Amino acid sequence: MRSNHNITPTRRAYTIILALCLFITCIYAECYNGCTGKGICFGDVCKCVDGYTGPDCGTPLPRVSIYDCTSCWQFSVGSPEYISGPSVRLPDSQLVSANLKGTLKTWIGNGDAELFSVGTSSSDYLVEVVVSMNSKEYNISGEFDSCGAWISRAIPDESSDVIRALYHAEADCNYDIGQTYKSMAYAESRDGGKTWVRPNYPNNQVLTFNGPRLTGKPSGLGDGSMVRFTDPADGREYYYLYYAKISGDAFISVARSPVSAGGLPGTWSKYNSGWSARPNGIGGPESPIKNINDATIYVHAPSGEILTVGNDYSGGHGGGGAQMSVSKDGLNFRYLPEPLYISSDWRVYGWGNAPAQEAMVGYTSLLGETGGYLVGNTFWMYYLYLKPGQGMNARYFIRRKVTMTYNPDATNEPANRLALSTYVHRTTGEQYETREWVPPTYYKLKKVMGYLMTRMHTESFGVISCLNNGDYYVARIGQDCTSENDTQLEALGFIYAFRQPNTIAVYQCEAPAGGKRPGPDRFLSPDPQCEDRAPSQTVPFGFLLKGPSLVDDLGKADVVVPRASTWSYASSTTSLVSNFTLAGFNDSTWAVGTAPFASGYPVSAPSRFINRDHYFRRQFRLDPSRTAVKALLTLGSDDRSTAWVNGQMVDDDRTVRFWANQAEVWNRRVWLDVSVLRQGAGGQANVIAVHVPNGDSWAYFDAQLTVFYSDNTDVACPANCGPHGNCVDGACVCDPQWGALDCSVPLCTYGPNVIPSTVINEGDMWKYSSTGVFNPDSVVSWVLPMYNDAAWDQAATPIGAGYTNAWKQRTTLPYNPGTTNGKDPYSYMFRKTVTLNVPDGYTIASGVMGISSDDYHLAYVNGFLVDGSLHPYTSRQARRWNSVVNINPEMLFDGNNVISVRVPNWYTSEWLYFNLQLNVTYQAIKCLDTCPPATSCLAERRNCGRIYNGCEYVSCGTCGSGRVCSDQGQCQCTPQTSCAARNFTCGTMYDGCLNVNCGACLLGHACSREGRCVCVPSVTCASLNKTCGEVFDGCKLIDCGVCSTPTTSASIPVPTSTSSSSPDTSKPPLNLQGSSG
């Protein structure tokens, strides 16, 4: 019988049923094969993790690699959610989870193992520890785990009830001076993780360091985590254990044990520039695994690849925050381009100390929907959190939801986005925008305003959180938050300075003091009218990224054709089936089967694919009560496919040769124009048709169609305001130089006349300075126009070192080598101020910058990055030395402009070079003197409130005293009272505007003048000719009177019985009532 430890209310009834089964015979379903560890059991149905399908989740779907294209994946990180705290114990290690035949359990190590939660999915969690499993019987003085045993990963056997776990052990500890000795050891549980056994203790260690224990500092190895992974080189499945070597030159390494050996002590081999032929986990040498920040490891089920997540505290690739890496073979890793979030790590400031102005995080862990070491494309990120200035005795446990999206067309877009949320003070109403968790004592979450970037991109700038006399506000790094009373808090992220696709304009507003606010309230808003709380703004502060999916941006999603659907299908060895794409085609003679259709793949194959063309058709209907705004068709096919909707081709892959790249051809996401769909009254049928050709090879087909409807809870904007406006309360607010209700009409036209101008040329003078070793993640003020460079030296370009006269080197700089660690280049900085004189009637139409540099460069225009990478260590090729950059003309101003360039030089190189040319083109422009309104209050039949007329907000009037403006712009009377306020339950009453009906009375009741239902008598004593006794009149008993007392009465003597004989019954009984005459 399956046990269930979930104590949440929704599961208690099921627990009671299990208890009853001890006394009676019960039949209840288990999931097939326990979902094979790739899913969660709901009733008797498996819910599979991304990447797997089938009744037991044992069938892998065609995979799309992360490693092959790290820039093809985008990660969206949601708002933080509170789990537990503040506590001195939770958390003290990574979150550990296991999928026990459909039940998800999680543990946290705190010197021993604590069962943290039990549930049916990662959405279930408890805020307190369920069971504490004390392990003090093992804490023997002098043993390797005498200071504690922290569980680091637990993996259940697929064929038994054993949970195999590895734990981080510490001994010889003196934490006051930072001393401890670490190793890794084996434990197992047979009761669902409630208790743990350490077989053959104390000989249960699996990994140790071959070196001395150090005094006053940590040493050894540990902090590991384990996954099951198949080595692509030999096809065998192993337990892979990634761990941190602490002693000497610290790094991450890996060991492994065959799954067939159970991960037991004595079966582990370390990686040392190759796998050891014999187990050498105890004291053997190891070598580092590169491009990995931490030993917290997972397997991404949809790709089958290893993912790592760790806080980069070394100032290296991640520069602070949760950085991810990916590997195909478990040895060679690649960094993902950007961190999941930006934050300080506890190892920067030391254990137990959070900086006064910044929050601190640690122990970043991932938890997939089905738990264990597998994660899908949606997962939860858990971490320790300390508020600014707090110590480790006040730890919080926080999580965020992360969504991965595969988008091969987004290689130049921001890879990651981090939610910026708006909180409102419960008393003063002040708004507070931050990416961090805010305790709910004083603030409540209002909404997610948009998403920040976690790395600087071209045309973007950094933003920080500032505090001024109790007012939290968002400011630009290096330019704001500089007044006397300002306190600079944490760096939040990056936003665009100019409109980009899929962005939201936000305005910096300042509401004056008033009410319960002692001072001004500065806040961000997508409304240029600042939500009527502050003076209007005309220029956006910046542009946030939109939400992670169209569900957030466009409304509710509906999967109208899910995966594993039923399709009509036919096969042919000749030509295309005629007209099969049309809705009227008769497919009644075709076979019917359930996807996926396959040959060669380990799934059921209802038809044989080899050497055939295959045709699929399926009908679907849209919700007639809603409006579809977008549709997404996801196709999985082998070899390739062509798709039609209602006879119109929506995806054509016939031109791709059959050996083309799988990730690009066999798995595709196609956005459909809703014009191809039939929607509206009647719920007309739509037809999707797909042609899948195949040669003599494996074959596969499945598809999913998702339709996005406009969210009926929000008022939609015309055309969603296109690329030139924001949707605010159902109206489009247009960018400058754009108008109309949907922001589609340009207010300026360009003439044919253009004037080219070279504003920076070779030989011009530049200011320059050297920073020495430069931190590539630093956001510095020297690129901003207001920076004072008066003390810098001057030189004419080309400027360099080591080059000959053939390169026309005018100025030679001294050679200054960088550090010898191979990471930190030596940097020169260059600045130049140029003045643009735009002729009357013209505008800046374009700017083109040509840059030559050695080793590489980062170029800024008026403080905005326009070319270069903040992490170019792997991009020092010659292609980075010469570049032509198109500059957004919005970056250039009529008047002074500052061009700033940083040129790093590698520490081993004696060669350095810099040269730059800037060309600007002016174009004739004519703008309307005034914006032509697209509508008016009169046209909209509004007599109050305001409307956006396509150019600006205009007032339609105000209502008099006692009247309010409705959503339709009509003045309405404001009721002064109500039936409830006056305790009226019936009749009518005047509420200050009109007579309102307060209700009716039941039959036999009438409404009084006070609005109360009172009973109405239906009979009386008189109507019944009653003069005495009681009568029910329909409401209550009433007294009809009493009879009068008689005037005389007979005195009848009663004879005394003198015998005991029976009375004489031959005579009638005496009448004992008074005589009437």
Side-chain angles (χ1 to χ4, degrees), residues 1 140 149 153 173 335 410 549 790 840 911 990 1003 1009 1040:
M1 181 175 69
I140 302 173
R153 188 56 59 89
C173 54
Y335 279 119
S549 69
D840 292 340
W911 297 62
Y990 186 69
L1003 184 65
R1009 296 183 60 182
C1040 294

Side-chain angles (χ1 to χ4, degrees), residues 449 499-500 502-507 525-528 540 542-544 546 717-718 720-735 741-743 948 953:
M449 180 177 295
R499 173 77 74 176
Q500 304 286 339
N502 299 315
T503 57
I504 305 167
V506 290
Y507 299 83
S525 174
D527 181 6
F543 296 82
L544 293 168
K546 286 187 178 180
C717 287
N720 204 27
C721 305
H724 304 295
N726 271 15
C727 184
V728 179
D729 296 332
C732 291
V733 180
C734 303
D735 294 343
L741 295 180
D742 59 356
C743 301
Y948 189 79
Y953 279 102

Side-chain angles (χ1 to χ4, degrees), residues 129-297:
V129 174
V130 179
V131 182
S132 179
M133 290 147 289
N134 197 300
S135 56
K136 294 188 182 299
E137 63 270 23
Y138 292 106
N139 296 154
I140 302 173
S141 177
E143 290 297 344
F144 69 90
D145 53 5
S146 58
C147 296
W150 289 258
I151 186 170
S152 63
R153 188 56 59 89
I155 299 180
D157 275 359
E158 294 181 351
S159 58
S160 70
D161 60 353
V162 176
I163 305 176
R164 304 186 185 275
L166 296 181
Y167 66 90
H168 166 93
E170 295 191 17
D172 194 19
C173 54
N174 185 345
Y175 297 120
D176 291 337
I177 62 173
Q179 175 180 306
T180 186
Y181 185 77
K182 303 180 179 182
S183 62
M184 298 295 300
Y186 175 86
E188 60 185 39
S189 173
R190 296 179 181 271
D191 60 3
K194 290 189 293 184
T195 58
W196 297 90
V197 177
R198 307 177 195 185
N200 202 27
Y201 183 81
N203 298 314
N204 60 320
Q205 285 177 286
V206 296
L207 294 184
T208 63
F209 175 64
N210 185 18
R213 300 187 181 189
L214 303 179
T215 301
K217 61 179 65 176
S219 56
L221 55 81
D223 299 300
S225 62
M226 174 177 61
V227 297
R228 284 179 62 160
F229 184 70
T230 300
D231 184 351
D234 63 13
R236 297 180 63 189
E237 192 174 21
Y238 297 86
Y239 292 113
Y240 276 69
L241 168 59
Y242 293 80
Y243 60 93
K245 184 183 83 69
I246 309 299
S247 299
D249 186 13
F251 54 75
I252 303 299
S253 191
V254 63
R256 71 182 187 183
S257 168
V259 170
S260 58
L264 297 173
T267 65
W268 290 86
S269 300
K270 292 182 178 178
Y271 179 79
N272 184 31
S273 301
W275 291 109
S276 172
R278 291 184 175 183
N280 66 340
I282 304 300
E286 57 260 309
S287 58
I289 303 297
K290 297 181 179 180
N291 299 331
I292 177 173
N293 288 338
D294 212 330
T296 309
I297 306 294

Side-chain angles (χ1 to χ4, degrees), residues 422-734:
T422 297
Y423 295 84
V424 178
H425 196 280
R426 297 180 182 274
T427 303
T428 65
E430 289 178 309
Q431 289 191 189
Y432 174 22
E433 293 83 30
T434 182
R435 59 169 166 77
E436 296 290 358
W437 175 68
V438 177
T441 307
Y442 301 107
Y443 288 87
K444 62 180 179 180
L445 178 64
K446 179 180 179 181
K447 63 179 178 180
V448 174
M449 180 177 295
Y451 288 79
L452 301 158
M453 294 175 281
T454 61
R455 275 286 174 266
M456 179 178 281
H457 287 255
T458 56
E459 304 186 15
S460 69
F461 61 90
V463 291
I464 55 175
S465 182
C466 297
L467 176 63
N468 185 299
N469 292 329
D471 175 35
Y472 293 90
Y473 67 97
V474 176
R476 178 176 173 178
I477 291 180
Q479 188 167 332
D480 301 314
C481 194
T482 56
S483 67
E484 181 179 353
N485 295 322
D486 280 341
T487 299
Q488 179 173 318
L489 304 179
E490 69 272 7
L492 297 176
F494 302 88
I495 69 174
Y496 280 116
F498 308 100
R499 173 77 74 176
Q500 304 286 339
N502 299 315
T503 57
I504 305 167
V506 290
Y507 299 83
Q508 199 170 41
C509 305
E510 183 172 338
K516 296 182 179 180
R517 290 196 309 273
D521 177 23
R522 280 169 282 191
F523 61 96
L524 295 182
S525 174
D527 181 6
Q529 303 298 307
C530 292
E531 303 169 23
D532 294 331
R533 297 180 55 228
S536 301
Q537 303 294 309
T538 58
V539 179
F541 172 71
F543 296 82
L544 293 168
L545 299 174
K546 286 187 178 180
S549 69
L550 287 178
V551 178
D552 294 334
D553 295 340
L554 300 178
K556 305 301 181 184
D558 184 15
V559 180
V560 296
V561 179
R563 290 187 180 187
S565 294
T566 300
W567 293 74
S568 298
Y569 69 95
S571 300
S572 171
T573 57
T574 56
S575 60
L576 188 73
V577 175
S578 177
N579 298 328
F580 90 104
T581 67
L582 302 179
F585 179 81
N586 185 1
D587 58 11
S588 59
T589 60
W590 286 21
V592 177
T594 302
F597 300 80
S599 290
Y601 288 94
V603 294
S604 59
S607 64
R608 182 168 175 78
F609 272 28
I610 296 177
N611 289 326
R612 291 171 177 244
D613 279 12
H614 305 275
Y615 306 92
F616 300 89
R617 284 172 52 88
R618 177 179 169 83
Q619 286 192 354
F620 63 93
R621 298 178 187 272
L622 304 184
D623 186 342
S625 65
R626 298 192 290 174
T627 302
V629 292
K630 203 75 172 177
L632 175 63
L633 175 62
T634 304
L635 289 167
S637 65
D638 178 356
D639 288 338
R640 57 192 190 275
S641 63
T642 305
W644 295 260
V645 173
N646 295 324
Q648 184 170 330
M649 184 182 296
V650 295
D651 181 50
D652 184 6
D653 202 34
R654 291 174 297 171
T655 59
V656 182
R657 306 181 73 173
F658 67 85
W659 56 79
N661 184 278
Q662 298 181 26
E664 297 176 359
V665 179
W666 295 354
N667 298 274
R668 297 186 309 287
R669 301 166 75 246
V670 183
W671 289 104
L672 309 182
D673 192 308
V674 292
S675 62
V676 305
L677 301 174
R678 296 173 176 171
Q679 54 182 322
Q684 296 177 313
N686 293 262
V687 173
I688 180 173
V690 183
H691 172 216
V692 181
N694 190 260
D696 189 10
S697 64
W698 287 21
Y700 187 90
F701 168 70
D702 200 353
Q704 177 173 296
L705 180 61
T706 305
V707 175
F708 298 88
Y709 297 98
S710 61
D711 192 341
N712 293 331
T713 61
D714 297 323
V715 181
C717 287
N720 204 27
C721 305
H724 304 295
N726 271 15
C727 184
V728 179
D729 296 332
C732 291
V733 180
C734 303

Side-chain angles (χ1 to χ4, degrees), residues 965-983:
C965 189
S966 69
D967 293 339
Q968 292 73 36
Q970 307 300 314
C971 288
Q972 296 178 343
C973 179
T974 304
Q976 304 300 310
T977 186
S978 65
C979 295
R982 296 187 58 184
N983 293 321

